[in-house]
Amino acid sequence: MKSMKRSFALSMAMLLWIGCLAAPASVQGADSDIVVLYTNDVHCSIDENIGYAGLAAYKAELESAGHAVTLVDVGDAIQGGTIGTLSEGAYIIDIMNAVGYDLAIPGNHEFDYGMDQFLALTEQATFPYLSANFIDLRTGDPVLSGYQILSYGDVDIAYVGISTPETFTKSTPTYFQDENGNYIYGFCEGNNGQDLYDAVQSNVDAALAEGADYVVALGHLGTDGQSSPWMSTELIANTAGIDVFLDGHSHSTIPSQEVANKDGETVLLSSTGTGLASIGKLTISEDGLTTELISDYTEKDPATEAFINDIKSQYEELVNTVVATSNVALTILDPVTGERIVRHAETNLGDLCADAYRIVLGADIAFVNGGGIRASIEAGDITYGDIISVHPFGNMACVIEATGQQILEALELGASAYPGESGGFLQVSGMTYQIDPTVPSPVILDDHSMFAGLEGENRVKNVMIGGEPLDLEKTYTLASHNYMLKSAGDGYSMFQGCTILQDEVLIDNQVLINYIVDELNGIVGDSYSNPYGEGRITIYDGSSVPDTGDASPILWIGVLAAGVCSILMFRKKSEES
């Protein structure tokens, strides 16, 4: 860790003196440090866990103790719940303004309401958004400032923003293209990660040349292997000058991890998980730099709590309207471990959502990406808010004609990260398929993480449609949504140019409501009682015909297959965005 260029002690003394002037007598003797509070992947969890009112209270407590406090968000704040969906992120920005954020960066889901809305939200925010690698390709210029230096007395800290190049596929690809499908925005995604490393290094060097004593990277990159070569650990290893990397995107919980940069110097890496389950705290003092996670804070700031309740009251009646009933719990989680499995295994809610698309739209088969199924539904009354929480994106239902070859390619892409998570993992209806985890994925991706072809043995096997083997030459009708079928979301470019039979006919949450109300007579019954689904997705065991008779969950079948094949299979914790 490099030493400060100027006197930390003098700076802290001045800050303490200033803080004492405003602080109550009981805290005038408190030690004063620079504290950076950080959040990531809040996903509209405005009052869950610690909540924004808890964050505001903790921030005020530190400030009252005389500390110099900066509050930053590391992406994916505005999407993931009803409050975000109904306001296209605007309510969340209002709350972040009220809490007192100082800086933020765009995660992939900041773009989910379209580019125009994202840019409008950056204007609405009373804090700046930063990104060193978000580029307007028409001019070659950054869309946002790459870094900002904040001064704390005689100490200057540079904050460098970094957005994941996975944003192309983990938001909506067409948002970054012109009307002809040409990319007009980029994230320095090329050259196997080197373009990203170079863009960040350039901003770090500029900040240091400007006199920064410390460099804090605010990066929405994550630590999932599927994000390579853009993982936070890879960026650290290929750059120099960053002191601390505050991470997001993979929902990882990392209190403090030491990672070596390309010069062999230690960089602290930290991430808070998701949903404001914890507050990240970076402390800069005479003793050095430390990161930790605060997860047991229970105080609430009354003014922030009242502000949030006032916003909630504006849409509460709508979201509390009961639209149906479920006799069973519908889940995206493993009911035993509580871990999310919808992004690498079949679940009963995945089956329900896929059935809704297939049956309501009258198609042969249906796909729903696991990343588009965001929340479980408890047994009992189902409210409109519950449905929006499941499908918060506002995607529009479509039906296309697709060949068997295109369907196989899509299944291969969806299974490419297995047993790890992928937002593009496909929940299906009208079909079954198997995954052979002993076969490396044959999927080839381009620099934008788009599907570019297959090379090698298929790991997806025994695909059956309507009880018959998949015919690669045959044309089938496929129901899904515009995100996948028209905009190549999650990289599904194989469907570009397909004949569209039904074009954006219903919003995603209305498809689910219509299916439950009209086709299931308003009640989700025992046919969806198995939380692991009906055995539509299983692990290949060497058979030529899939065995789906016992509805075995992909989770424990995967473990059995792992033992048979002598491979290690484990469940990774997180994803996306």
Side-chain angles (χ1 to χ4, degrees):
M1 198 75 66
K2 65 181 183 294
S3 62
M4 285 192 172
K5 298 176 183 176
R6 290 172 288 209
S7 168
F8 186 92
L10 176 60
S11 174
M12 288 296 96
M14 292 179 65
L15 285 169
L16 179 59
W17 178 76
I18 293 170
C20 287
L21 293 180
S26 59
V27 299
Q28 286 187 9
D31 292 334
S32 180
D33 300 321
I34 297 172
V35 176
V36 181
L37 300 180
Y38 49 99
T39 59
N40 60 272
D41 300 282
V42 176
H43 287 295
C44 297
S45 298
I46 57 174
D47 51 8
E48 300 171 24
N49 301 310
I50 292 175
Y52 280 120
L55 175 62
Y58 187 62
K59 176 175 179 285
E61 182 178 301
L62 292 173
E63 290 171 336
S64 294
H67 299 299
V69 181
T70 295
L71 176 58
V72 302
D73 184 76
V74 196
D76 282 8
I78 67 172
Q79 172 278 338
T82 305
I83 188 172
T85 300
L86 294 180
S87 68
E88 295 190 325
Y91 283 152
I92 302 299
I93 297 297
D94 285 340
I95 293 170
M96 293 175 72
N97 287 341
V99 172
Y101 275 85
D102 297 291
L103 297 168
I105 68 166
N108 49 296
H109 288 301
E110 259 66 48
F111 297 96
D112 281 351
Y113 308 114
M115 186 60 69
D116 289 344
Q117 179 63 4
F118 166 70
L119 295 175
L121 293 175
T122 65
E123 294 296 321
Q124 178 185 336
T126 55
F127 49 89
Y129 274 84
L130 307 175
S131 181
N133 63 305
F134 177 33
I135 308 298
D136 187 329
L137 299 177
R138 294 166 295 187
T139 63
D141 297 327
V143 178
L144 306 168
S145 295
Y147 69 91
Q148 183 161 325
I149 296 177
L150 299 183
S151 295
Y152 305 81
D154 204 32
V155 178
D156 290 341
I157 299 178
Y159 297 87
V160 179
I162 311 166
S163 301
T164 176
E166 288 190 294
T167 299
F168 289 119
T169 53
K170 294 191 173 180
S171 183
T172 300
T174 51
Y175 293 163
F176 308 96
Q177 301 169 348
D178 63 17
E179 62 276 8
N180 298 316
N182 301 309
Y183 283 95
I184 57 176
Y185 295 99
F187 291 91
C188 301
E189 63 278 355
N191 293 315
N192 197 35
Q194 192 60 50
D195 287 357
L196 175 64
Y197 311 151
D198 290 345
V200 173
Q201 189 66 68
S202 175
N203 279 264
V204 170
D205 291 345
L208 291 172
E210 197 172 324
D213 299 299
Y214 289 111
V215 175
V216 176
L218 311 178
H220 196 81
L221 297 182
T223 57
D224 279 349
Q226 67 175 21
S227 299
S228 184
W230 306 307
M231 294 188 296
S232 53
T233 48
E234 293 172 308
L235 185 136
I236 292 170
N238 286 277
T239 57
I242 295 172
D243 295 293
V244 182
F245 197 112
L246 307 180
D247 198 14
H249 190 44
S250 59
H251 295 193
S252 305
T253 302
I254 306 173
S256 184
Q257 178 182 343
E258 293 186 350
V259 182
N261 70 9
K262 73 174 185 178
D263 291 339
E265 297 173 337
T266 297
V267 177
L268 289 182
L269 173 66
S270 182
S271 186
T272 72
T274 185
L276 276 175
S278 61
I279 301 169
K281 182 182 180 184
L282 163 64
T283 303
I284 302 175
S285 68
E286 290 182 290
D287 297 327
L289 282 68
T290 60
T291 60
E292 60 181 313
L293 302 183
I294 309 300
S295 58
D296 56 356
Y297 192 77
T298 59
E299 298 297 318
K300 302 291 183 183
D301 176 65
T304 303
E305 197 165 35
F307 185 78
I308 291 172
N309 288 336
D310 181 62
I311 289 177
K312 288 171 63 177
S313 69
Q314 299 178 44
Y315 63 87
E316 209 162 48
E317 182 178 351
L318 173 63
V319 300
N320 289 333
T321 300
V322 175
V323 295
T325 302
S326 181
N327 292 337
V328 300
L330 300 162
T331 187
I332 65 172
L333 307 175
D334 186 314
V336 176
T337 67
E339 295 183 5
R340 183 174 64 189
I341 59 172
V342 73
R343 299 186 184 203
H344 65 93
E346 180 184 351
T347 78
N348 59 351
L349 182 55
D351 287 353
L352 180 74
C353 293
D355 286 347
Y357 273 95
R358 179 178 65 85
I359 294 172
V360 170
L361 277 71
D364 295 325
I365 62 173
F367 290 159
V368 179
N369 56 323
I373 305 172
R374 305 297 288 195
S376 300
I377 298 177
E378 298 297 326
D381 288 341
I382 301 174
T383 66
Y384 184 55
D386 292 330
I387 298 293
I388 291 179
S389 294
V390 172
H391 287 322
F393 296 108
N395 292 320
M396 300 298 292
C398 300
V399 177
I400 65 168
E401 289 183 338
T403 66
Q405 178 64 37
Q406 291 168 321
I407 290 167
L408 178 62
E409 291 170 349
L411 294 172
E412 286 285 1
L413 179 59
S416 60
Y418 183 86
E421 287 197 324
S422 169
F425 183 84
L426 292 177
Q427 304 287 332
V428 300
S429 178
M431 65 184 302
T432 61
Y433 69 98
Q434 297 182 312
I435 302 172
D436 185 350
T438 67
V439 175
S441 173
V443 171
I444 301 171
L445 301 177
D446 65 16
D447 283 344
H448 296 96
S449 297
M450 294 292 182
F451 177 84
L454 299 175
E455 187 176 279
E457 181 184 351
N458 290 332
R459 68 181 347 209
V460 170
K461 304 182 186 299
N462 294 327
V463 183
M464 307 288 285
I465 294 181
E468 298 292 330
L470 176 72
D471 184 342
L472 298 182
E473 303 298 324
K474 184 176 177 179
T475 297
Y476 300 87
T477 55
L478 166 62
S480 188
H481 44 62
N482 57 337
Y483 172 72
M484 287 177 57
L485 300 184
K486 295 177 64 178
S487 299
D490 285 322
Y492 285 96
S493 58
M494 70 286 295
F495 299 126
Q496 300 293 283
C498 286
T499 299
I500 300 175
L501 302 178
Q502 299 182 52
D503 190 5
E504 301 190 10
V505 292
L506 283 172
I507 195 169
D508 50 10
N509 43 63
Q510 195 62 49
V511 172
L512 188 53
I513 291 174
N514 287 3
Y515 175 62
I516 297 172
V517 173
D518 298 336
E519 303 295 335
L520 302 181
N521 297 316
I523 301 174
V524 180
D526 292 343
S527 61
Y528 292 99
S529 62
N530 188 340
Y532 300 108
E534 301 177 342
R536 302 176 188 185
I537 310 168
T538 54
I539 293 301
Y540 178 67
D541 60 3
S543 303
S544 59
V545 177
D547 179 11
T548 60
D550 62 356
S552 302
I554 194 171
L555 184 62
W556 64 262
I557 292 179
V559 174
L560 177 61
V564 173
C565 302
S566 299
I567 62 172
L568 175 65
M569 300 180 65
F570 59 93
R571 194 180 291 105
K572 292 176 63 179
K573 187 177 185 301
S574 36
E575 109 202 216
E576 220 150 135
S577 70

